[in-house]
Amino acid sequence: MDYKSSLIQDGNPMENLEKQLICPICLEMFTKPVVILPCQHNLCRKCASDIFQAANPYWTGRGSSVSMSGGRFRCPTCRHEVIMDRHGVYGLQRNLLVENIIDIYKQECSSRPLQKGSHPMCKEHEDEKINIYCLTCEVPTCSMCKVFGVHKACEVAPLQSVFQGQKTELNNCISMLVAGNDRVQTIITQLEDSCRVTKENSHQVKEELSQKFDTLYAILDEKKSELLQRITQEQEEKLSFIEALIQQYQEQLDKSTKLVETAIQSLDEPGGATFLLISSCLSLCLPHSIVEASKGCQLGKTEQGFENMDFFTLNLEHIADALRAIDFGTDEEEEEFIEEEDQEEEDSTEGKEEGKKFIYLHSFIPSLIPQQPEVPTIYKALC
């Protein structure tokens, strides 16, 4: 009802109806058979076949004995893509309703008399219709212009033949443009897919690279903790050894100090008998104590440079250079680099074993220190 009222409100409903029956490819009224696409737009089957053949040049026709799947067809009106079956455009459904409307419209137009002004008229000869085409000037004109007018010396042709030729040429150009647009759209789709895949691959290699560097960080942290632990262990061993020496010297000093104090107190004894008793005891202890005091300087000592920790110095220049040289390369380059690293690691391991022998040499020092003789019982009594 709305469609009917819209036609009645316009000045010429037949012209509006004719616009609805125009093929978007050939720009003429639909030529039967008319096919309808899944998007509900209509086309002349011949026009649809031309576009389909241009977009799918390798498609085998219906008469071929080779069975192939159909190609792709893009609607020229809405650009909706349709996947054809093996019948191509011949597998599309005919729109019988539109074909019937076209028949009714043509009958209505043929029963009506031609109105003045429905055919273009010549500007020079207002009563003459334009019915020929000047090939020289490439403009439509009338017969009077050819006989008496400006186109008298020009070459002309029937208007209908030129009209059909140019219409066919335009139709071919439209088909080529539509096919070219389809190819461009296919390229755009491929490029978009390539862009998407590139992003996915980039994200994947970034994740792998981050994981590899995280592994390197973990190895460095683990090695750092290990080396710090070794330094701490060495520090504790050295400090324990030095503190043990300090304790031995301190005990020797305390014993010698008490003996000196005892000797000084005996000097203050006024009684001769008492002094001589103490003196006789001291005479037995003093020589031994003096000998022990002289031997006190021969207790365990630290060697020169014992407090040095220089043997824990690391030379990381080659490792730093290797880290700076990290780059994306082939598998062969990575294998060569791994072999070089393994060889360097073996050499460094041998050097560390030799260093360990030197580092822990001091652990045998306490066993080489002579044991102190037992203090006589009389000295203990005097103290």
Side-chain angles (χ1 to χ4, degrees), residues 311-345:
F311 44 81
F312 284 110
T313 302
L314 293 178
N315 184 7
L316 301 178
E317 292 182 0
H318 64 289
I319 297 179
D321 293 338
L323 291 175
R324 294 189 190 96
I326 290 177
D327 199 354
F328 301 105
T330 61
D331 295 338
E332 295 179 357
E333 294 177 354
E334 292 180 358
E335 291 177 358
E336 292 177 359
F337 178 76
I338 292 173
E339 291 177 358
E340 293 177 359
E341 287 294 318
D342 292 340
Q343 184 64 34
E344 292 178 358
E345 186 176 353

PDB file of all heavy atoms in Angstrom, residues 311-345:
ATOM      1  N   PHE A 311      91.309 -13.578  45.219  1.00  0.00           N
ATOM      2  CA  PHE A 311      91.140 -14.745  44.354  1.00  0.00           C
ATOM      3  C   PHE A 311      89.670 -14.982  44.005  1.00  0.00           C
ATOM      4  O   PHE A 311      89.360 -15.860  43.218  1.00  0.00           O
ATOM      5  CB  PHE A 311      91.723 -15.995  45.019  1.00  0.00           C
ATOM      6  CG  PHE A 311      91.385 -16.137  46.464  1.00  0.00           C
ATOM      7  CD1 PHE A 311      90.162 -16.637  46.869  1.00  0.00           C
ATOM      8  CD2 PHE A 311      92.304 -15.737  47.436  1.00  0.00           C
ATOM      9  CE1 PHE A 311      89.859 -16.763  48.202  1.00  0.00           C
ATOM     10  CE2 PHE A 311      91.982 -15.871  48.780  1.00  0.00           C
ATOM     11  CZ  PHE A 311      90.768 -16.381  49.174  1.00  0.00           C
ATOM     12  N   PHE A 312      88.754 -14.207  44.607  1.00  0.00           N
ATOM     13  CA  PHE A 312      87.345 -14.299  44.233  1.00  0.00           C
ATOM     14  C   PHE A 312      86.965 -13.314  43.130  1.00  0.00           C
ATOM     15  O   PHE A 312      85.797 -13.146  42.826  1.00  0.00           O
ATOM     16  CB  PHE A 312      86.450 -14.050  45.453  1.00  0.00           C
ATOM     17  CG  PHE A 312      86.396 -15.222  46.398  1.00  0.00           C
ATOM     18  CD1 PHE A 312      86.999 -15.158  47.630  1.00  0.00           C
ATOM     19  CD2 PHE A 312      85.757 -16.387  46.021  1.00  0.00           C
ATOM     20  CE1 PHE A 312      86.950 -16.241  48.496  1.00  0.00           C
ATOM     21  CE2 PHE A 312      85.708 -17.475  46.877  1.00  0.00           C
ATOM     22  CZ  PHE A 312      86.303 -17.402  48.123  1.00  0.00           C
ATOM     23  N   THR A 313      87.954 -12.623  42.563  1.00  0.00           N
ATOM     24  CA  THR A 313      87.671 -11.663  41.494  1.00  0.00           C
ATOM     25  C   THR A 313      87.246 -12.407  40.229  1.00  0.00           C
ATOM     26  O   THR A 313      87.833 -13.430  39.869  1.00  0.00           O
ATOM     27  CB  THR A 313      88.914 -10.808  41.206  1.00  0.00           C
ATOM     28  OG1 THR A 313      89.299 -10.154  42.407  1.00  0.00           O
ATOM     29  CG2 THR A 313      88.594  -9.772  40.125  1.00  0.00           C
ATOM     30  N   LEU A 314      86.216 -11.888  39.576  1.00  0.00           N
ATOM     31  CA  LEU A 314      85.706 -12.497  38.341  1.00  0.00           C
ATOM     32  C   LEU A 314      86.068 -11.626  37.140  1.00  0.00           C
ATOM     33  O   LEU A 314      85.989 -10.396  37.218  1.00  0.00           O
ATOM     34  CB  LEU A 314      84.180 -12.657  38.395  1.00  0.00           C
ATOM     35  CG  LEU A 314      83.614 -13.647  39.408  1.00  0.00           C
ATOM     36  CD1 LEU A 314      82.092 -13.620  39.346  1.00  0.00           C
ATOM     37  CD2 LEU A 314      84.118 -15.043  39.116  1.00  0.00           C
ATOM     38  N   ASN A 315      86.431 -12.259  36.069  1.00  0.00           N
ATOM     39  CA  ASN A 315      86.653 -11.560  34.808  1.00  0.00           C
ATOM     40  C   ASN A 315      85.457 -11.852  33.895  1.00  0.00           C
ATOM     41  O   ASN A 315      85.366 -12.924  33.306  1.00  0.00           O
ATOM     42  CB  ASN A 315      87.950 -12.020  34.157  1.00  0.00           C
ATOM     43  CG  ASN A 315      88.259 -11.258  32.890  1.00  0.00           C
ATOM     44  OD1 ASN A 315      87.570 -10.283  32.560  1.00  0.00           O
ATOM     45  ND2 ASN A 315      89.275 -11.678  32.166  1.00  0.00           N
ATOM     46  N   LEU A 316      84.560 -10.908  33.826  1.00  0.00           N
ATOM     47  CA  LEU A 316      83.316 -11.100  33.083  1.00  0.00           C
ATOM     48  C   LEU A 316      83.300 -10.346  31.765  1.00  0.00           C
ATOM     49  O   LEU A 316      82.232 -10.168  31.168  1.00  0.00           O
ATOM     50  CB  LEU A 316      82.124 -10.665  33.943  1.00  0.00           C
ATOM     51  CG  LEU A 316      81.955 -11.396  35.276  1.00  0.00           C
ATOM     52  CD1 LEU A 316      80.767 -10.828  36.038  1.00  0.00           C
ATOM     53  CD2 LEU A 316      81.771 -12.889  35.052  1.00  0.00           C
ATOM     54  N   GLU A 317      84.466  -9.885  31.316  1.00  0.00           N
ATOM     55  CA  GLU A 317      84.486  -9.097  30.081  1.00  0.00           C
ATOM     56  C   GLU A 317      84.030  -9.928  28.887  1.00  0.00           C
ATOM     57  O   GLU A 317      83.254  -9.463  28.053  1.00  0.00           O
ATOM     58  CB  GLU A 317      85.885  -8.549  29.829  1.00  0.00           C
ATOM     59  CG  GLU A 317      86.326  -7.493  30.850  1.00  0.00           C
ATOM     60  CD  GLU A 317      87.698  -6.942  30.515  1.00  0.00           C
ATOM     61  OE1 GLU A 317      88.281  -7.394  29.495  1.00  0.00           O
ATOM     62  OE2 GLU A 317      88.170  -6.064  31.256  1.00  0.00           O
ATOM     63  N   HIS A 318      84.517 -11.180  28.807  1.00  0.00           N
ATOM     64  CA  HIS A 318      84.126 -12.013  27.657  1.00  0.00           C
ATOM     65  C   HIS A 318      82.638 -12.354  27.711  1.00  0.00           C
ATOM     66  O   HIS A 318      81.976 -12.453  26.676  1.00  0.00           O
ATOM     67  CB  HIS A 318      84.964 -13.283  27.630  1.00  0.00           C
ATOM     68  CG  HIS A 318      84.751 -14.189  28.800  1.00  0.00           C
ATOM     69  ND1 HIS A 318      85.201 -13.873  30.078  1.00  0.00           N
ATOM     70  CD2 HIS A 318      84.128 -15.396  28.899  1.00  0.00           C
ATOM     71  CE1 HIS A 318      84.863 -14.855  30.909  1.00  0.00           C
ATOM     72  NE2 HIS A 318      84.210 -15.787  30.229  1.00  0.00           N
ATOM     73  N   ILE A 319      82.117 -12.506  28.949  1.00  0.00           N
ATOM     74  CA  ILE A 319      80.679 -12.781  29.058  1.00  0.00           C
ATOM     75  C   ILE A 319      79.879 -11.541  28.689  1.00  0.00           C
ATOM     76  O   ILE A 319      78.848 -11.627  28.000  1.00  0.00           O
ATOM     77  CB  ILE A 319      80.333 -13.257  30.480  1.00  0.00           C
ATOM     78  CG1 ILE A 319      81.059 -14.572  30.774  1.00  0.00           C
ATOM     79  CG2 ILE A 319      78.830 -13.413  30.656  1.00  0.00           C
ATOM     80  CD1 ILE A 319      80.812 -15.128  32.154  1.00  0.00           C
ATOM     81  N   ALA A 320      80.368 -10.366  29.133  1.00  0.00           N
ATOM     82  CA  ALA A 320      79.678  -9.123  28.772  1.00  0.00           C
ATOM     83  C   ALA A 320      79.687  -8.921  27.257  1.00  0.00           C
ATOM     84  O   ALA A 320      78.682  -8.505  26.667  1.00  0.00           O
ATOM     85  CB  ALA A 320      80.323  -7.935  29.488  1.00  0.00           C
ATOM     86  N   ASP A 321      80.855  -9.234  26.637  1.00  0.00           N
ATOM     87  CA  ASP A 321      80.918  -9.114  25.180  1.00  0.00           C
ATOM     88  C   ASP A 321      79.950 -10.086  24.511  1.00  0.00           C
ATOM     89  O   ASP A 321      79.301  -9.756  23.506  1.00  0.00           O
ATOM     90  CB  ASP A 321      82.347  -9.391  24.694  1.00  0.00           C
ATOM     91  CG  ASP A 321      83.321  -8.313  25.159  1.00  0.00           C
ATOM     92  OD1 ASP A 321      82.847  -7.191  25.460  1.00  0.00           O
ATOM     93  OD2 ASP A 321      84.533  -8.585  25.227  1.00  0.00           O
ATOM     94  N   ALA A 322      79.867 -11.302  25.064  1.00  0.00           N
ATOM     95  CA  ALA A 322      78.937 -12.274  24.491  1.00  0.00           C
ATOM     96  C   ALA A 322      77.488 -11.809  24.641  1.00  0.00           C
ATOM     97  O   ALA A 322      76.673 -11.979  23.731  1.00  0.00           O
ATOM     98  CB  ALA A 322      79.125 -13.635  25.167  1.00  0.00           C
ATOM     99  N   LEU A 323      77.173 -11.191  25.771  1.00  0.00           N
ATOM    100  CA  LEU A 323      75.810 -10.678  25.964  1.00  0.00           C
ATOM    101  C   LEU A 323      75.516  -9.534  25.007  1.00  0.00           C
ATOM    102  O   LEU A 323      74.411  -9.433  24.459  1.00  0.00           O
ATOM    103  CB  LEU A 323      75.619 -10.227  27.412  1.00  0.00           C
ATOM    104  CG  LEU A 323      75.609 -11.339  28.474  1.00  0.00           C
ATOM    105  CD1 LEU A 323      75.524 -10.735  29.869  1.00  0.00           C
ATOM    106  CD2 LEU A 323      74.434 -12.275  28.244  1.00  0.00           C
ATOM    107  N   ARG A 324      76.507  -8.660  24.810  1.00  0.00           N
ATOM    108  CA  ARG A 324      76.294  -7.554  23.866  1.00  0.00           C
ATOM    109  C   ARG A 324      76.159  -8.065  22.442  1.00  0.00           C
ATOM    110  O   ARG A 324      75.517  -7.420  21.607  1.00  0.00           O
ATOM    111  CB  ARG A 324      77.456  -6.574  23.948  1.00  0.00           C
ATOM    112  CG  ARG A 324      77.568  -5.831  25.272  1.00  0.00           C
ATOM    113  CD  ARG A 324      78.609  -4.726  25.187  1.00  0.00           C
ATOM    114  NE  ARG A 324      78.886  -4.160  26.499  1.00  0.00           N
ATOM    115  CZ  ARG A 324      79.901  -4.535  27.271  1.00  0.00           C
ATOM    116  NH1 ARG A 324      80.750  -5.466  26.832  1.00  0.00           N
ATOM    117  NH2 ARG A 324      80.076  -3.987  28.447  1.00  0.00           N
ATOM    118  N   ALA A 325      76.763  -9.220  22.160  1.00  0.00           N
ATOM    119  CA  ALA A 325      76.724  -9.768  20.799  1.00  0.00           C
ATOM    120  C   ALA A 325      75.470 -10.591  20.536  1.00  0.00           C
ATOM    121  O   ALA A 325      75.313 -11.129  19.450  1.00  0.00           O
ATOM    122  CB  ALA A 325      77.960 -10.643  20.549  1.00  0.00           C
ATOM    123  N   ILE A 326      74.583 -10.680  21.542  1.00  0.00           N
ATOM    124  CA  ILE A 326      73.353 -11.448  21.335  1.00  0.00           C
ATOM    125  C   ILE A 326      72.545 -10.810  20.213  1.00  0.00           C
ATOM    126  O   ILE A 326      72.294  -9.604  20.221  1.00  0.00           O
ATOM    127  CB  ILE A 326      72.519 -11.498  22.630  1.00  0.00           C
ATOM    128  CG1 ILE A 326      73.207 -12.371  23.676  1.00  0.00           C
ATOM    129  CG2 ILE A 326      71.114 -12.054  22.353  1.00  0.00           C
ATOM    130  CD1 ILE A 326      72.494 -12.420  25.002  1.00  0.00           C
ATOM    131  N   ASP A 327      72.162 -11.607  19.250  1.00  0.00           N
ATOM    132  CA  ASP A 327      71.389 -11.089  18.124  1.00  0.00           C
ATOM    133  C   ASP A 327      70.630 -12.254  17.503  1.00  0.00           C
ATOM    134  O   ASP A 327      70.890 -13.419  17.797  1.00  0.00           O
ATOM    135  CB  ASP A 327      72.315 -10.430  17.092  1.00  0.00           C
ATOM    136  CG  ASP A 327      71.553  -9.487  16.174  1.00  0.00           C
ATOM    137  OD1 ASP A 327      70.299  -9.449  16.279  1.00  0.00           O
ATOM    138  OD2 ASP A 327      72.190  -8.805  15.347  1.00  0.00           O
ATOM    139  N   PHE A 328      69.695 -11.920  16.652  1.00  0.00           N
ATOM    140  CA  PHE A 328      68.935 -12.943  15.957  1.00  0.00           C
ATOM    141  C   PHE A 328      69.799 -13.533  14.859  1.00  0.00           C
ATOM    142  O   PHE A 328      70.350 -12.800  14.037  1.00  0.00           O
ATOM    143  CB  PHE A 328      67.657 -12.360  15.349  1.00  0.00           C
ATOM    144  CG  PHE A 328      66.754 -11.738  16.362  1.00  0.00           C
ATOM    145  CD1 PHE A 328      66.654 -10.361  16.469  1.00  0.00           C
ATOM    146  CD2 PHE A 328      66.012 -12.523  17.220  1.00  0.00           C
ATOM    147  CE1 PHE A 328      65.824  -9.784  17.402  1.00  0.00           C
ATOM    148  CE2 PHE A 328      65.182 -11.957  18.156  1.00  0.00           C
ATOM    149  CZ  PHE A 328      65.081 -10.591  18.260  1.00  0.00           C
ATOM    150  N   GLY A 329      69.945 -14.844  14.848  1.00  0.00           N
ATOM    151  CA  GLY A 329      70.787 -15.490  13.848  1.00  0.00           C
ATOM    152  C   GLY A 329      70.235 -16.847  13.490  1.00  0.00           C
ATOM    153  O   GLY A 329      69.166 -17.272  13.952  1.00  0.00           O
ATOM    154  N   THR A 330      70.976 -17.546  12.652  1.00  0.00           N
ATOM    155  CA  THR A 330      70.554 -18.872  12.217  1.00  0.00           C
ATOM    156  C   THR A 330      70.885 -19.902  13.287  1.00  0.00           C
ATOM    157  O   THR A 330      71.635 -19.645  14.230  1.00  0.00           O
ATOM    158  CB  THR A 330      71.250 -19.235  10.898  1.00  0.00           C
ATOM    159  OG1 THR A 330      72.672 -19.245  11.119  1.00  0.00           O
ATOM    160  CG2 THR A 330      70.927 -18.210   9.828  1.00  0.00           C
ATOM    161  N   ASP A 331      70.363 -21.092  13.116  1.00  0.00           N
ATOM    162  CA  ASP A 331      70.634 -22.183  14.058  1.00  0.00           C
ATOM    163  C   ASP A 331      72.114 -22.571  14.046  1.00  0.00           C
ATOM    164  O   ASP A 331      72.680 -22.949  15.073  1.00  0.00           O
ATOM    165  CB  ASP A 331      69.779 -23.399  13.709  1.00  0.00           C
ATOM    166  CG  ASP A 331      68.292 -23.107  13.901  1.00  0.00           C
ATOM    167  OD1 ASP A 331      67.993 -22.176  14.669  1.00  0.00           O
ATOM    168  OD2 ASP A 331      67.462 -23.793  13.276  1.00  0.00           O
ATOM    169  N   GLU A 332      72.777 -22.490  12.866  1.00  0.00           N
ATOM    170  CA  GLU A 332      74.193 -22.841  12.792  1.00  0.00           C
ATOM    171  C   GLU A 332      75.036 -21.899  13.629  1.00  0.00           C
ATOM    172  O   GLU A 332      75.942 -22.310  14.353  1.00  0.00           O
ATOM    173  CB  GLU A 332      74.654 -22.814  11.334  1.00  0.00           C
ATOM    174  CG  GLU A 332      73.975 -23.876  10.459  1.00  0.00           C
ATOM    175  CD  GLU A 332      74.445 -23.790   9.024  1.00  0.00           C
ATOM    176  OE1 GLU A 332      75.250 -22.877   8.726  1.00  0.00           O
ATOM    177  OE2 GLU A 332      74.021 -24.638   8.208  1.00  0.00           O
ATOM    178  N   GLU A 333      74.733 -20.590  13.564  1.00  0.00           N
ATOM    179  CA  GLU A 333      75.476 -19.617  14.366  1.00  0.00           C
ATOM    180  C   GLU A 333      75.269 -19.868  15.852  1.00  0.00           C
ATOM    181  O   GLU A 333      76.193 -19.753  16.660  1.00  0.00           O
ATOM    182  CB  GLU A 333      75.035 -18.200  13.995  1.00  0.00           C
ATOM    183  CG  GLU A 333      75.411 -17.814  12.569  1.00  0.00           C
ATOM    184  CD  GLU A 333      74.880 -16.434  12.220  1.00  0.00           C
ATOM    185  OE1 GLU A 333      74.145 -15.876  13.053  1.00  0.00           O
ATOM    186  OE2 GLU A 333      75.217 -15.923  11.150  1.00  0.00           O
ATOM    187  N   GLU A 334      74.037 -20.236  16.242  1.00  0.00           N
ATOM    188  CA  GLU A 334      73.774 -20.512  17.645  1.00  0.00           C
ATOM    189  C   GLU A 334      74.549 -21.744  18.114  1.00  0.00           C
ATOM    190  O   GLU A 334      75.080 -21.768  19.224  1.00  0.00           O
ATOM    191  CB  GLU A 334      72.273 -20.718  17.851  1.00  0.00           C
ATOM    192  CG  GLU A 334      71.455 -19.449  17.637  1.00  0.00           C
ATOM    193  CD  GLU A 334      69.974 -19.702  17.862  1.00  0.00           C
ATOM    194  OE1 GLU A 334      69.626 -20.873  18.134  1.00  0.00           O
ATOM    195  OE2 GLU A 334      69.197 -18.738  17.793  1.00  0.00           O
ATOM    196  N   GLU A 335      74.645 -22.788  17.269  1.00  0.00           N
ATOM    197  CA  GLU A 335      75.388 -23.983  17.645  1.00  0.00           C
ATOM    198  C   GLU A 335      76.881 -23.667  17.818  1.00  0.00           C
ATOM    199  O   GLU A 335      77.522 -24.131  18.771  1.00  0.00           O
ATOM    200  CB  GLU A 335      75.201 -25.059  16.585  1.00  0.00           C
ATOM    201  CG  GLU A 335      73.772 -25.626  16.540  1.00  0.00           C
ATOM    202  CD  GLU A 335      73.603 -26.636  15.427  1.00  0.00           C
ATOM    203  OE1 GLU A 335      74.574 -26.850  14.691  1.00  0.00           O
ATOM    204  OE2 GLU A 335      72.496 -27.203  15.305  1.00  0.00           O
ATOM    205  N   GLU A 336      77.467 -22.870  16.904  1.00  0.00           N
ATOM    206  CA  GLU A 336      78.865 -22.488  17.037  1.00  0.00           C
ATOM    207  C   GLU A 336      79.098 -21.710  18.317  1.00  0.00           C
ATOM    208  O   GLU A 336      80.081 -21.915  19.031  1.00  0.00           O
ATOM    209  CB  GLU A 336      79.292 -21.655  15.821  1.00  0.00           C
ATOM    210  CG  GLU A 336      79.330 -22.459  14.520  1.00  0.00           C
ATOM    211  CD  GLU A 336      79.696 -21.587  13.341  1.00  0.00           C
ATOM    212  OE1 GLU A 336      79.903 -20.368  13.567  1.00  0.00           O
ATOM    213  OE2 GLU A 336      79.796 -22.102  12.215  1.00  0.00           O
ATOM    214  N   PHE A 337      78.166 -20.790  18.621  1.00  0.00           N
ATOM    215  CA  PHE A 337      78.312 -19.990  19.839  1.00  0.00           C
ATOM    216  C   PHE A 337      78.236 -20.876  21.085  1.00  0.00           C
ATOM    217  O   PHE A 337      78.983 -20.701  22.042  1.00  0.00           O
ATOM    218  CB  PHE A 337      77.211 -18.918  19.874  1.00  0.00           C
ATOM    219  CG  PHE A 337      77.241 -18.068  21.118  1.00  0.00           C
ATOM    220  CD1 PHE A 337      78.188 -17.074  21.257  1.00  0.00           C
ATOM    221  CD2 PHE A 337      76.325 -18.277  22.135  1.00  0.00           C
ATOM    222  CE1 PHE A 337      78.220 -16.297  22.395  1.00  0.00           C
ATOM    223  CE2 PHE A 337      76.352 -17.499  23.280  1.00  0.00           C
ATOM    224  CZ  PHE A 337      77.312 -16.505  23.403  1.00  0.00           C
ATOM    225  N   ILE A 338      77.351 -21.871  21.088  1.00  0.00           N
ATOM    226  CA  ILE A 338      77.209 -22.767  22.236  1.00  0.00           C
ATOM    227  C   ILE A 338      78.474 -23.601  22.412  1.00  0.00           C
ATOM    228  O   ILE A 338      78.947 -23.820  23.535  1.00  0.00           O
ATOM    229  CB  ILE A 338      75.973 -23.669  22.045  1.00  0.00           C
ATOM    230  CG1 ILE A 338      74.688 -22.819  22.131  1.00  0.00           C
ATOM    231  CG2 ILE A 338      75.941 -24.766  23.087  1.00  0.00           C
ATOM    232  CD1 ILE A 338      73.437 -23.590  21.795  1.00  0.00           C
ATOM    233  N   GLU A 339      79.075 -24.068  21.285  1.00  0.00           N
ATOM    234  CA  GLU A 339      80.313 -24.833  21.382  1.00  0.00           C
ATOM    235  C   GLU A 339      81.434 -23.988  21.972  1.00  0.00           C
ATOM    236  O   GLU A 339      82.210 -24.469  22.819  1.00  0.00           O
ATOM    237  CB  GLU A 339      80.701 -25.342  19.990  1.00  0.00           C
ATOM    238  CG  GLU A 339      79.754 -26.430  19.456  1.00  0.00           C
ATOM    239  CD  GLU A 339      80.129 -26.850  18.056  1.00  0.00           C
ATOM    240  OE1 GLU A 339      81.089 -26.264  17.507  1.00  0.00           O
ATOM    241  OE2 GLU A 339      79.466 -27.758  17.507  1.00  0.00           O
ATOM    242  N   GLU A 340      81.549 -22.723  21.544  1.00  0.00           N
ATOM    243  CA  GLU A 340      82.573 -21.846  22.110  1.00  0.00           C
ATOM    244  C   GLU A 340      82.355 -21.633  23.594  1.00  0.00           C
ATOM    245  O   GLU A 340      83.302 -21.645  24.397  1.00  0.00           O
ATOM    246  CB  GLU A 340      82.563 -20.509  21.367  1.00  0.00           C
ATOM    247  CG  GLU A 340      83.012 -20.617  19.916  1.00  0.00           C
ATOM    248  CD  GLU A 340      82.907 -19.286  19.202  1.00  0.00           C
ATOM    249  OE1 GLU A 340      82.461 -18.316  19.845  1.00  0.00           O
ATOM    250  OE2 GLU A 340      83.284 -19.208  18.016  1.00  0.00           O
ATOM    251  N   GLU A 341      81.092 -21.446  23.996  1.00  0.00           N
ATOM    252  CA  GLU A 341      80.794 -21.236  25.411  1.00  0.00           C
ATOM    253  C   GLU A 341      81.146 -22.474  26.230  1.00  0.00           C
ATOM    254  O   GLU A 341      81.677 -22.376  27.336  1.00  0.00           O
ATOM    255  CB  GLU A 341      79.310 -20.897  25.584  1.00  0.00           C
ATOM    256  CG  GLU A 341      78.945 -19.493  25.106  1.00  0.00           C
ATOM    257  CD  GLU A 341      79.604 -18.430  25.966  1.00  0.00           C
ATOM    258  OE1 GLU A 341      79.632 -18.579  27.192  1.00  0.00           O
ATOM    259  OE2 GLU A 341      80.133 -17.468  25.382  1.00  0.00           O
ATOM    260  N   ASP A 342      80.883 -23.667  25.711  1.00  0.00           N
ATOM    261  CA  ASP A 342      81.211 -24.900  26.430  1.00  0.00           C
ATOM    262  C   ASP A 342      82.718 -25.040  26.610  1.00  0.00           C
ATOM    263  O   ASP A 342      83.193 -25.448  27.686  1.00  0.00           O
ATOM    264  CB  ASP A 342      80.662 -26.114  25.667  1.00  0.00           C
ATOM    265  CG  ASP A 342      79.138 -26.150  25.667  1.00  0.00           C
ATOM    266  OD1 ASP A 342      78.554 -25.481  26.551  1.00  0.00           O
ATOM    267  OD2 ASP A 342      78.549 -26.831  24.800  1.00  0.00           O
ATOM    268  N   GLN A 343      83.499 -24.706  25.571  1.00  0.00           N
ATOM    269  CA  GLN A 343      84.951 -24.796  25.665  1.00  0.00           C
ATOM    270  C   GLN A 343      85.484 -23.824  26.706  1.00  0.00           C
ATOM    271  O   GLN A 343      86.353 -24.175  27.523  1.00  0.00           O
ATOM    272  CB  GLN A 343      85.577 -24.502  24.290  1.00  0.00           C
ATOM    273  CG  GLN A 343      87.092 -24.672  24.256  1.00  0.00           C
ATOM    274  CD  GLN A 343      87.513 -26.106  24.526  1.00  0.00           C
ATOM    275  OE1 GLN A 343      86.815 -27.029  24.146  1.00  0.00           O
ATOM    276  NE2 GLN A 343      88.647 -26.294  25.195  1.00  0.00           N
ATOM    277  N   GLU A 344      84.957 -22.580  26.702  1.00  0.00           N
ATOM    278  CA  GLU A 344      85.387 -21.599  27.694  1.00  0.00           C
ATOM    279  C   GLU A 344      85.009 -22.038  29.103  1.00  0.00           C
ATOM    280  O   GLU A 344      85.755 -21.830  30.062  1.00  0.00           O
ATOM    281  CB  GLU A 344      84.765 -20.238  27.376  1.00  0.00           C
ATOM    282  CG  GLU A 344      85.290 -19.614  26.097  1.00  0.00           C
ATOM    283  CD  GLU A 344      84.611 -18.296  25.793  1.00  0.00           C
ATOM    284  OE1 GLU A 344      83.723 -17.925  26.575  1.00  0.00           O
ATOM    285  OE2 GLU A 344      84.976 -17.656  24.793  1.00  0.00           O
ATOM    286  N   GLU A 345      83.848 -22.669  29.240  1.00  0.00           N
ATOM    287  CA  GLU A 345      83.416 -23.126  30.568  1.00  0.00           C
ATOM    288  C   GLU A 345      84.340 -24.225  31.092  1.00  0.00           C
ATOM    289  O   GLU A 345      84.673 -24.266  32.278  1.00  0.00           O
ATOM    290  CB  GLU A 345      81.977 -23.637  30.477  1.00  0.00           C
ATOM    291  CG  GLU A 345      81.397 -23.999  31.839  1.00  0.00           C
ATOM    292  CD  GLU A 345      79.946 -24.399  31.720  1.00  0.00           C
ATOM    293  OE1 GLU A 345      79.377 -24.273  30.618  1.00  0.00           O
ATOM    294  OE2 GLU A 345      79.392 -24.832  32.745  1.00  0.00           O
TER     295      GLU A 345
END
